Amino acid sequence: MKEIGLTLIILTVGIFSEWVLAAAPKKLCEAPLIVGWEYWEPFQFQDKQGNYTGLDLDILQAVFAWTQCELSFAERPWQRLLIDIQTGSVDILLGASKTAERMESSYFSQPYRKEKMALYIRAEDKDHYTFNSLEDIVYLPFTLGVTRGYYYGEEYEQLLKSRAFREQLVIVARDKQLYPLLLQGRVNGFLAETYFVAYNFLNKDNSKQVIRYPLPLYESDIHVMFSRKTVSADLVTLFNRHLQELSVKGYLQKIKSKYCADC
């Protein structure tokens, strides 16, 4: 497990220089806190220098820079991490949705971002469609790319009961497959998470061949999870206080904008 990269420390100190004179908070952790993570750009990954970065990890480390707590990192599959947070084998998980079941074994931070699903189409087709709901696709010769096992909202779940809608779907194993399928004309549109598409494709496609269609779909709050076995409620309260300061001072949005300016 690696320490937080020097570059990130310098960046964090620069961003938060106005806080340097503030009184140091009470230290609430004696040993380094173990952050469970799974490779998932743009939210959680390591850069070429081995630094832990991504939207979720940048926010976490920016907040913890002011708690006097050290972090260490453990990469594991998501389903394993959900078990480890219950047992206390890891202390922290990121990118989590709040559920009643998870609240039995974990504290949850205030939400720090939204998970948003959106419809993407080719820019040249933007005047060809007028969608007021996802159901409108059923009445058109429209093939829709989706990723197996993903949740796109209740409307999508209800539409899956329709054979006509299911026959319009092109289902892939990984969401990175969807963008090329659209450019190749093998689908007319696809559903995907907004930060993922912006970071992996839209930010790198100077020709602007794909656009996000302005159709409201599913969105939900995303939180940090803390194991009740190893983390105190006081530390979660401190985390939330600094997270709020990040937001009020505009730094939270600055971090988010590195990965998607309009998500």
Side-chain angles (χ1 to χ4, degrees):
M1 293 182 280
K2 302 175 184 278
E3 297 296 326
I4 299 173
L6 178 60
T7 301
L8 179 58
I9 293 175
I10 294 172
L11 175 62
T12 302
V13 171
I15 291 175
F16 293 97
S17 58
E18 62 190 86
W19 290 2
V20 169
L21 298 179
K26 176 183 177 182
K27 188 166 184 177
L28 296 171
C29 44
E30 296 302 323
L33 295 169
I34 301 174
V35 180
W37 70 285
E38 180 181 42
Y39 186 91
W40 185 27
E41 287 187 282
F43 303 105
Q44 305 171 32
F45 60 99
Q46 284 182 280
D47 63 19
K48 294 180 180 178
Q49 290 72 43
N51 299 315
Y52 294 96
T53 188
L55 175 57
D56 292 347
L57 287 172
D58 286 358
I59 291 173
L60 181 80
Q61 293 178 109
V63 174
F64 267 101
W66 302 99
T67 63
Q68 296 188 347
C69 295
E70 297 181 20
L71 302 176
S72 63
F73 299 86
E75 183 181 9
R76 299 168 191 169
W78 179 251
Q79 292 303 317
R80 166 71 183 278
L81 289 171
L82 288 174
I83 295 172
D84 289 346
I85 197 82
Q86 293 178 20
T87 64
S89 298
V90 299
D91 304 303
I92 298 170
L93 290 185
L94 305 109
S97 298
K98 185 188 291 188
T99 67
E101 180 182 3
R102 291 176 181 178
M103 289 178 67
E104 293 178 2
S105 58
S106 301
Y107 298 111
F108 280 78
S109 74
Q110 296 174 358
Y112 65 91
R113 65 172 172 88
K114 294 279 189 181
E115 179 181 67
K116 298 180 183 179
M117 295 295 179
L119 170 65
Y120 294 87
I121 62 172
R122 288 183 292 272
E124 63 189 52
D125 294 336
K126 65 180 180 179
D127 296 325
H128 296 174
Y129 306 117
T130 304
F131 297 131
N132 295 310
S133 70
L134 200 58
E135 185 180 11
D136 291 341
I137 290 174
V138 177
Y139 306 102
L140 296 172
F142 192 99
T143 53
L144 180 67
V146 297
T147 305
R148 188 181 309 279
Y150 276 32
Y151 181 76
Y152 296 105
E154 185 57 31
E155 182 186 13
Y156 176 84
E157 292 296 309
Q158 292 300 316
L159 286 171
L160 285 177
K161 298 176 182 178
S162 164
R163 179 178 177 180
F165 180 74
R166 294 196 304 271
E167 289 178 346
Q168 291 176 282
L169 300 180
V170 174
I171 303 173
V172 300
R174 292 184 168 273
D175 40 12
K176 277 195 173 183
Q177 298 172 262
L178 294 170
Y179 197 89
L181 288 179
L182 181 60
L183 295 183
Q184 295 163 9
R186 296 171 62 185
V187 297
N188 299 109
F190 66 84
L191 303 181
E193 205 280 331
T194 55
Y195 279 107
F196 172 83
V197 176
Y199 180 82
N200 287 287
F201 298 109
L202 298 187
N203 293 351
K204 302 172 182 178
D205 186 356
N206 295 325
S207 59
K208 307 301 180 187
Q209 299 178 78
V210 173
I211 61 171
R212 185 170 76 189
Y213 192 87
L215 177 67
L217 290 176
Y218 165 76
E219 69 174 58
S220 67
D221 288 333
I222 295 299
H223 309 258
V224 179
M225 291 174 67
F226 301 87
S227 174
R228 289 182 181 268
K229 284 188 175 294
T230 58
V231 176
S232 70
D234 286 343
L235 179 57
V236 179
T237 299
L238 181 63
F239 181 91
N240 283 332
R241 189 182 82 198
H242 288 310
L243 182 64
Q244 180 65 22
E245 290 177 7
L246 274 174
S247 180
V248 170
K249 294 177 182 292
Y251 300 134
L252 193 61
Q253 187 55 47
K254 286 182 180 179
I255 294 173
K256 294 177 182 178
S257 295
K258 287 169 51 182
Y259 300 95
C260 178
D262 63 349
C263 289

